[in-house]
Amino acid sequence: MTFFIFFGDMLVMAFMIGVAIWFSSKSNDEEISHIARIPLEDEDYHG
């Protein structure tokens, strides 16, 4: 059972890493910086 949980976790992690690599290769640095700032500036949008 532990075997399946471990490898299931590894598959999910590989998928998440793949999405991050795909996203960063498709976007330019300005767009990535803007998206990364959204959680930090969240309270500014509800003012």
Side-chain angles (χ1 to χ4, degrees):
M1 184 66 174
T2 305
F3 178 80
F4 291 116
I5 292 173
F6 176 76
F7 280 107
D9 259 355
M10 293 298 110
L11 285 174
V12 169
M13 197 63 171
F15 173 75
M16 292 170 70
I17 290 170
V19 167
I21 290 172
W22 174 75
F23 177 74
S24 64
S25 69
K26 289 286 195 181
S27 301
N28 59 17
D29 289 338
E30 278 185 25
E31 188 177 355
I32 292 173
S33 293
H34 175 70
I35 292 170
R37 281 193 311 265
I38 289 173
L40 299 174
E41 297 173 350
D42 191 34
E43 64 276 358
D44 295 339
Y45 296 124
H46 300 293

